[in-house]
Amino acid sequence: MNQGTTIEDREGFAALLLRLRGKGSVPKALIAAFEATPRRGFLDGLYHSIAWSDRMLPIECGEAMEGADLQAAVIAALALEPGNRVLEIGTGSGFTAAVMARLAGRVVTIDRYKTLVEQARQRFEALGIANVVARQADGANGLPNEGPFDRIVAWAAFDSLPRFLLDQLSSGGTVIAPIGPEEGEQVVAKLTKVGSRFEREDIGIVRLQPILPGVAAVI
């Protein structure tokens, strides 16, 4: 933790580590990337005291930041490597893109809300993170003209298996996305590209917002 952190922040991070270790081993590189990324800086001051909690926390545009435990589990499952090219669907606060940028080669993060994209850019710049590109775009179909990506992660749910993302992946690449109905629980699926098909491994249950087509006209 850097010198600007509070006792509250350090205690919150320590509690996160205990929860994660209770669920199994946690890659050291992931812990270091989380520790180097000040989560409070991605949240309204109201939520600084619970920044490292497993709660969904409100951000701008009526959206929410996923709990730290879920973010850590998903990023760990991506098994990022230094040269990887990553597509993130759902920039949100920008926290997960900032973490992944410390573990991968290049991250392209997209969101339907211009406000979120602009705020995330400012945060990346303030942290000196230069290998992230943030842009406003419709993530419902991925980024078909910019692949292939080695890893794709979505923070909003698809109602069915997003097979179209297969074409945007490099061979052996991985997609992690929630799949399931708009109302109720969804399964977080890890899909690995093998030839012209996916191998699927389910890694958890979540309740996230459905992916919305198009971009927001105003915010």
Side-chain angles (χ1 to χ4, degrees), residues 36-55:
T37 310
R39 194 172 164 88
R40 291 185 310 159
F42 293 79
L43 289 163
D44 185 279
L46 287 171
Y47 306 106
H48 284 182
S49 65
I50 51 172
W52 292 106
S53 76
D54 196 24
R55 289 172 51 184

Side-chain angles (χ1 to χ4, degrees), residues 60-111:
E60 290 76 13
C61 303
E63 295 293 295
M65 180 196 263
E66 303 81 16
D69 302 48
L70 174 62
Q71 291 177 331
V74 168
I75 295 172
L78 282 171
L80 295 170
E81 296 173 2
N84 284 163
R85 193 158 181 255
V86 182
L87 169 62
E88 178 180 56
I89 301 170
T91 306
S93 69
F95 177 76
T96 47
V99 170
M100 291 190 295
R102 300 182 189 280
L103 300 167
R106 184 168 186 264
V107 178
V108 180
T109 181
I110 59 177
D111 204 287

Side-chain angles (χ1 to χ4, degrees):
M1 288 270 157
N2 62 41
Q3 292 179 335
T5 58
T6 62
I7 291 174
E8 199 173 55
D9 208 37
R10 289 193 292 272
E11 287 178 346
F13 186 73
L16 167 67
L17 288 185
L18 283 174
R19 294 196 304 271
L20 294 179
R21 285 171 178 151
K23 297 170 188 171
S25 62
V26 191
K28 286 182 180 176
L30 176 61
I31 292 172
F34 260 68
E35 194 170 16
T37 310
R39 194 172 164 88
R40 291 185 310 159
F42 293 79
L43 289 163
D44 185 279
L46 287 171
Y47 306 106
H48 284 182
S49 65
I50 51 172
W52 292 106
S53 76
D54 196 24
R55 289 172 51 184
M56 296 276 284
L57 298 173
I59 58 173
E60 290 76 13
C61 303
E63 295 293 295
M65 180 196 263
E66 303 81 16
D69 302 48
L70 174 62
Q71 291 177 331
V74 168
I75 295 172
L78 282 171
L80 295 170
E81 296 173 2
N84 284 163
R85 193 158 181 255
V86 182
L87 169 62
E88 178 180 56
I89 301 170
T91 306
S93 69
F95 177 76
T96 47
V99 170
M100 291 190 295
R102 300 182 189 280
L103 300 167
R106 184 168 186 264
V107 178
V108 180
T109 181
I110 59 177
D111 204 287
R112 67 193 307 269
Y113 295 108
K114 184 180 179 184
T115 299
L116 295 181
V117 169
E118 289 179 349
Q119 286 182 344
R121 279 184 191 143
Q122 290 167 10
R123 289 163 179 158
F124 302 149
E125 194 173 325
L127 291 169
I129 298 173
N131 59 331
V132 181
V133 176
R135 72 173 68 136
Q136 185 184 25
D138 177 1
N141 297 308
L143 265 187
N145 299 321
E146 298 213 19
F149 295 96
D150 302 300
R151 305 285 189 271
I152 300 176
V153 58
W155 298 105
F158 293 90
D159 57 6
S160 60
L161 193 70
R163 294 189 184 280
F164 58 88
L165 291 177
L166 191 70
D167 298 331
Q168 299 175 37
L169 269 187
S170 58
S171 181
T174 301
V175 174
I176 295 185
I179 300 171
E182 181 175 333
E183 301 295 331
E185 294 181 338
Q186 302 117 7
V187 175
V188 180
K190 179 178 179 178
L191 309 164
T192 303
K193 183 176 180 177
V194 180
S196 58
R197 63 184 180 84
F198 278 139
E199 282 187 355
R200 176 171 173 168
E201 176 191 351
D202 292 344
I203 57 176
I205 301 291
V206 293
R207 285 176 180 264
L208 295 177
Q209 293 182 335
I211 195 149
L212 298 173
V215 296
V218 181
I219 56 174

